Amino acid sequence: MDQELVRDVAEKVRWIVGGKRTPNTWQRFSDALTAARAAHDADDTVAMGQVLYELELLSRRVGEKLGQEPAEEPEPKVRDRANELVHTLLPDDE
């Protein structure tokens, strides 16, 4: 697997989970976490690239919708899944 791609996905996950988002965005983010885990487990670079694309879309959507929809922090289970994924993708990072 392309390690730069893996790092990009992990960094985007960190960035998204660190803020407030709409409930719809959190659902799509949760789906992206599932897809990222599956791509990593299958060593599927193409699927991981698709995950990064979805995360990029989510981050752009956040900017477009800022102030238009109520935003909230992620549910604890989503935050935990995101943190676990980042540690799986980047086991040597602190």
Side-chain angles (χ1 to χ4, degrees):
M1 172 101 42
D2 179 348
Q3 290 305 305
E4 184 175 338
L5 174 61
V6 170
R7 181 167 290 285
D8 288 347
V9 167
E11 288 174 358
K12 189 60 70 172
V13 166
R14 281 181 181 155
W15 183 81
I16 291 173
V17 82
K20 291 185 176 182
R21 312 284 182 242
T22 65
N24 182 51
T25 300
W26 285 127
Q27 180 57 54
R28 288 179 58 192
F29 179 71
S30 180
D31 294 344
L33 294 177
T34 300
R37 171 66 76 171
H40 182 265
D41 290 349
D43 198 29
D44 187 339
T45 300
V46 173
M48 190 65 81
Q50 292 170 336
V51 169
L52 181 59
Y53 178 75
E54 175 66 13
L55 293 171
E56 289 288 347
L57 289 177
L58 289 175
S59 65
R60 288 189 182 120
R61 184 173 185 276
V62 166
E64 292 170 1
K65 299 292 184 181
L66 195 61
Q68 296 179 13
E69 297 179 28
E72 55 192 42
E73 293 185 1
E75 294 181 11
K77 67 180 181 178
V78 172
R79 182 182 304 279
D80 291 346
R81 287 182 59 219
N83 290 333
E84 181 181 302
L85 177 65
V86 169
H87 290 294
T88 298
L89 297 178
L90 303 175
D92 296 331
D93 282 13
E94 293 181 11

